[in-house]
Every structure is written in C-alpha cells, then in structure tokens.
Amino acid sequence: MRRIHLTTVIARTLAAATVLTVTAACGAGTDKAAVGVAPTTPAASAPSAATADDTTNDNKADGAASPAAASWAKTPGKVLLASGAKGDQVKDLQARLAQVGWFDDTPSGTYGSVTAAAVKGFQDKRQLPATGSMDTATWQKLSAMTTKPTREELAGTTVVKQKTKLDKRCMTGRVLCISKTTRTLNWVVNGKVLSSMDVRFGSQYTPTREGTFKVFLKSKDHVSTIYHTSMPYAMFFSGGQAVHYSSDFAKRGYAGASHGCVNVRDKKKIAALFDQVKINDKVVIYW
C-alpha cells in the first residue's frame, strides 16, 4: 500500500510541475502575480478526430489539383518524396505548403530538414502518420487544400495564402483573432478585419493555449523575468502568455518557436496594433 501511495504522489507532483512550467511560459510571472491572474491548464494543441478538417478549421481552396499533380499520386501508402529529393516536384510541394502556412522560405527544389519538418507538422495536425515524407495520403490532402503554384510562388516572390476563415467568436466586438491553421493574427472589430500579420506559437512542450481570453496587461518594453529576453509590445491574455514582437521570429521564421506566446515578426504592424488594443479586448485562439 505504501508503494502505491508513493507512486501516486510522484505522478501528481510531476503533473503539477508540468502545469506550472507551461503557465509561466513567456516569463511574465511577476506581472501575472501582480494582477492576480490564476494559472490555467493549457488546452490540447491538436484537434480531435471529430474536427471538420476540410471545412471549419482548414481553408480549403476552390481549385482542385492540376491533372499532372493528380496523376502523380495513385498508389495508396506510396512514398512520393522524402529527404534528399530534388526537382520541380519538390518546388511544387514547398509552394503548396507555403499556401497553407507550413513553409516560410523560398522554394528551393531540395527536400531538406525544413521541408521535412513542414510536412511532418502538416501530417500531425491532420492525424496522418507524421513521417516527414510526402506519401500519397498526405499529397491528396494537401493538393485538395491548395491551388497550382504560380511562377511567382515557385520563385518565392509571393505566396497566395488561403484566406483565413474567421472563427464565429471573432465576429462581434474587438478581437485579436488568431488562427493556428494559417498561423495568422487578424485584428477584427465588429466583424471587419482591420489588419493581419504572420504569427508563430509555442512548441509541443510549451504549447500556446487555445480558447477565448481577454487582454489583461499591456507592456510596451517588456522583458521576460524567466528567460530574460525582450518581449516588445506585449499584450498578455493568459497567465504568462502574450502576443508580442519577436526578433527571433523576424530572423529565423518558423524554424524556431516561442515558449507559449504568440510571436509576431512585423514590428511596424505589432506596434500599430499595440496602440489600438485596449485592456479587456477579446483574444480568440483556434485551429
């Protein structure tokens, strides 16, 4: 009996430590305590199987895959492209991943670690085997959600991202409407999008919470009390998690991740947004 009791105590202690670590993710522990905000347990970072993957939460394009693309993948379970592959098909893949917000670099035609990570993330979100290799099931899903890349997209001079479908919770009032699917923040007032910007989130170990929140603290020149890093234009919405500018995101793009915060890489846009957002404005984070 004592052994069972000891095992239970250890398990509960580890669980509590995990919640505490995530709650203080972006280093606003002192600010959180000052305003009396209670820690919140992070929501699951991936949708359930019941999620309407091709409608509500994914921005499916109207255009179908090109004939060439459709004939490319016919054998179920077959690996079509993997690390080390090169050529136009890889470029096409990279441009399509960019359309749905999973690739943030110039299409190179080389299937390297960045491409593999993007494919793996795309697969994991849709509960496909997260191998990082492009197989027939993954290709069919991706091609159905995207359109044939233009010359400009293949050259990396532009990205035709699918329009974000605003969550219904974003349609009234003043809302920081943040989509994890397209990795986009929309500033919405009474259902009208006033500005949009690219964002990135926490890693699987320090996930950005999902749900409906309110801005409870603004700190223009904030510095993390845990990581001792600069967090300019911080707008806190849940414990230590905030929307803020990230110089690392500006430099490395999606190669990195936050400690749970919503990072913005466009400094001018986040500065303008900071001036407009008020305490108690709504924050909605969703897939």
Side-chain angles (χ1 to χ4, degrees):
M1 292 295 291
R2 293 183 61 187
R3 182 178 298 175
I4 293 174
H5 176 70
L6 179 59
T7 301
T8 301
V9 170
I10 292 173
R12 289 178 178 173
T13 301
L14 290 174
T18 300
V19 172
L20 179 61
T21 300
V22 175
T23 301
C26 283
T30 54
D31 297 316
K32 178 183 61 181
V35 295
V37 177
T40 53
T41 303
S45 59
S48 67
T51 299
D53 194 68
D54 289 328
T55 53
T56 304
N57 294 327
D58 280 321
N59 301 291
K60 185 176 181 180
D62 293 331
S66 65
S71 63
W72 181 37
K74 291 184 178 180
T75 306
K78 180 182 178 182
V79 174
L80 306 172
L81 294 169
S83 294
K86 295 183 179 182
D88 291 340
Q89 290 178 338
V90 177
K91 269 194 174 185
D92 182 275
L93 166 62
Q94 292 167 333
R96 287 176 184 270
L97 287 168
Q99 288 182 15
V100 291
W102 282 100
F103 188 78
D104 191 52
D105 206 344
T106 300
S108 62
T110 298
Y111 202 121
S113 59
V114 174
T115 303
V119 171
K120 187 173 182 179
F122 179 87
Q123 291 169 325
D124 185 59
K125 195 263 177 185
R126 286 153 189 86
Q127 298 184 340
L128 295 168
T131 62
S133 297
M134 179 57 58
D135 55 32
T136 51
T138 305
W139 171 249
Q140 288 164 5
K141 176 68 72 174
L142 178 63
S143 62
M145 293 173 57
T146 56
T147 57
K148 183 179 180 180
T150 63
R151 289 184 178 180
E152 290 75 16
E153 288 181 281
L154 293 172
T157 57
T158 187
V159 175
V160 182
K161 287 188 176 181
Q162 308 305 320
K163 292 183 178 180
T164 302
K165 290 183 179 179
L166 299 180
D167 187 281
K168 63 182 180 181
R169 292 169 292 178
C170 300
M171 301 310 294
T172 57
R174 300 162 55 85
V175 191
L176 291 172
C177 190
I178 303 169
S179 169
K180 283 191 171 183
T181 298
T182 59
R183 294 189 284 189
T184 304
L185 182 157
N186 285 297
W187 171 230
V188 186
V189 178
N190 296 326
K192 183 178 180 180
V193 178
L194 300 184
S195 64
S196 298
M197 55 203 77
D198 293 335
V199 292
R200 74 176 183 183
F201 306 99
S203 68
Q204 62 177 318
Y205 304 107
T206 55
T208 302
R209 300 176 192 120
E210 297 151 24
T212 302
F213 313 92
K214 287 186 178 181
V215 175
F216 67 85
L217 176 69
K218 293 175 62 180
S219 180
K220 185 175 181 179
D221 300 306
H222 196 83
V223 176
S224 169
T225 57
I226 294 179
Y227 302 103
H228 307 293
T229 54
S230 179
M231 298 167 56
Y233 305 106
M235 293 171 279
F236 290 92
F237 59 85
S238 177
Q241 295 193 356
V243 175
H244 69 85
Y245 171 72
S246 168
S247 59
D248 182 73
F249 184 24
K251 293 177 182 177
R252 298 202 297 151
Y254 295 104
S258 75
H259 289 98
C261 285
V262 178
N263 288 167
V264 177
R265 61 179 166 187
D266 190 316
K267 196 169 187 177
K268 289 184 178 179
K269 285 188 176 182
I270 189 65
L273 179 64
F274 185 87
D275 290 337
Q276 296 176 57
V277 171
K278 300 177 181 179
I279 298 297
N280 289 326
D281 279 349
K282 189 161 56 174
V283 179
V284 176
I285 303 177
Y286 63 100
W287 277 103

